Amino acid sequence: MTLGALFLSIVPVFVKLIPPESGIPTTQKLFMRGAVAAVALAVVLLLKGISFKPGNPVLLGARSLFGIAGMLAYFLAVEGMPLAEAVTINKLSPFFVLILSWIFLGEKLKKIQIFALFLGFAGVTVILQPGSIPLTLPAGLAVISALFAGSAYSTLRALRKTDRPLLIVFWFSAATAVFFLPSVILSGVMTDFKSFVFLFCIGISGTAGQLLMTKAYRCAPGGEVAIYGYLSVVFSMLWQILIFDSVPVAAVFIGAGLILLGGWMNFRSKEKGNILEMESDKPGDYQALP
């Protein structure tokens, strides 16, 4: 579980390590993220003998579009603001799932979940410090990325009835690669060896993180595994200090603490069958969804 979170936390590091002067567009980074994952998951599906045919292509398409929009906003946020801030704000996605489930699915919120929501958004407020620091476009994109990610997760309740999690992630990854391929071709950017290595690492680290989290879901209850996803916040602070030689300000530590506390309270409040703790028909099929 920890190793899976570690690999997933490396993805934004490589996104940020590719300098703007390289000329490599964000879309090329997203293409590699999707292409490598699609190839790896295709191999896994073939080895497991799972059909590539989707059970609900319309809803799967909607999930993919939400995911693509969320990942685009996330990568742009990572490129334009400190790593720890972008990663921490992106962790609002489970809170947006609660809100969307309440609005569109009529699910009732427990008092502890409402308090968790308050803590989560209070944490973001502390990090962004509105009124003291001008709000930037990357900060807004980080919040938008969490919203779209939450929207993507919200489709999974219906999708789990028709499609296996590995298949859902495969089609999302394939759709990401296909969606951004034209932009990569039209950009005409010739990638140097160092940048290509970083691009490949974006894809391989994300894929490795997903597969390791899948393995974790086979060995422990979903709620216990899901909470480990918040370790990426801790790792991102560590990477910002060690790799980018930048210590997050106190407000980031305080805000991250509030978000982590809210996330922990949310997961503790869940009952079996909650939208954020889904069980598949067969043990081990659950996938850490991007």
Side-chain angles (χ1 to χ4, degrees):
M1 292 183 283
T2 302
L3 191 58
L6 175 63
F7 272 104
L8 290 175
S9 75
I10 295 174
V11 174
V13 173
F14 285 111
V15 170
K16 206 168 184 65
L17 279 174
I18 299 176
E21 54 268 23
S22 69
I24 295 175
T26 307
T27 52
Q28 192 165 345
K29 302 173 186 178
L30 288 157
F31 169 77
M32 287 296 290
R33 175 66 178 86
V36 174
V39 171
L41 290 168
V43 173
V44 174
L45 290 171
L46 288 171
L47 291 175
K48 287 179 172 287
I50 300 175
S51 171
F52 286 82
K53 184 178 180 181
N56 191 334
V58 174
L59 193 57
L60 189 57
R63 183 266 178 269
S64 297
L65 286 176
F66 284 136
I68 289 171
M71 193 172 291
L72 174 60
Y74 180 51
F75 275 35
L76 289 171
V78 168
E79 291 173 342
M81 65 189 301
L83 181 68
E85 294 181 25
V87 173
T88 302
I89 295 173
N90 181 258
K91 287 302 172 183
L92 279 178
S93 55
F95 301 104
F96 278 116
V97 174
L98 288 178
I99 296 173
L100 293 170
S101 299
W102 172 61
I103 294 174
F104 295 107
L105 301 179
E107 293 194 354
K108 295 182 179 179
L109 296 179
K110 302 174 185 178
K111 291 181 179 179
I112 190 173
Q113 289 176 316
I114 295 175
F115 186 58
L117 285 171
F118 170 78
L119 287 177
F121 285 97
V124 171
T125 302
V126 171
I127 292 173
L128 297 181
Q129 303 179 61
S132 300
I133 299 177
L135 294 179
T136 62
L137 178 60
L141 287 170
V143 176
I144 291 173
S145 74
L147 172 60
F148 276 116
S151 301
Y153 296 148
S154 297
T155 65
L156 298 180
R157 163 166 290 181
L159 274 175
R160 66 173 181 161
K161 299 176 182 178
T162 59
D163 294 277
R164 295 192 180 195
L166 278 174
L167 188 63
I168 296 172
V169 180
F170 164 75
W171 281 113
F172 162 66
S173 301
T176 301
V178 172
F179 186 87
F180 291 109
L181 178 59
S183 176
V184 173
I185 296 174
L186 292 173
S187 68
V189 176
M190 297 298 293
T191 306
D192 60 80
F193 179 74
K194 181 179 179 181
S195 296
F196 177 79
V197 171
F198 287 164
L199 286 170
F200 184 75
C201 287
I202 289 173
I204 201 66
S205 57
T207 304
Q210 285 182 331
L211 293 176
L212 285 168
M213 292 300 282
T214 299
K215 180 66 175 179
Y217 273 103
R218 296 178 182 178
C219 304
E224 293 182 14
V225 177
I227 196 65
Y228 276 79
Y230 283 92
L231 278 176
S232 60
V233 173
V234 179
F235 288 134
S236 69
M237 292 183 178
L238 183 63
W239 303 144
Q240 182 170 323
I241 295 171
L242 296 179
I243 299 176
F244 299 103
D245 195 26
S246 173
V247 178
V249 297
V252 174
F253 286 104
I254 296 172
L258 291 173
I259 293 174
L260 291 173
L261 178 59
W264 178 81
M265 293 176 64
N266 176 39
F267 282 110
R268 290 289 296 177
S269 72
K270 292 186 303 179
E271 295 178 351
K272 186 177 181 181
N274 185 281
I275 190 171
L276 291 181
E277 185 177 350
M278 295 170 292
E279 298 177 356
S280 59
D281 295 331
K282 294 182 179 181
D285 277 350
Y286 193 91
Q287 171 72 20
L289 296 168

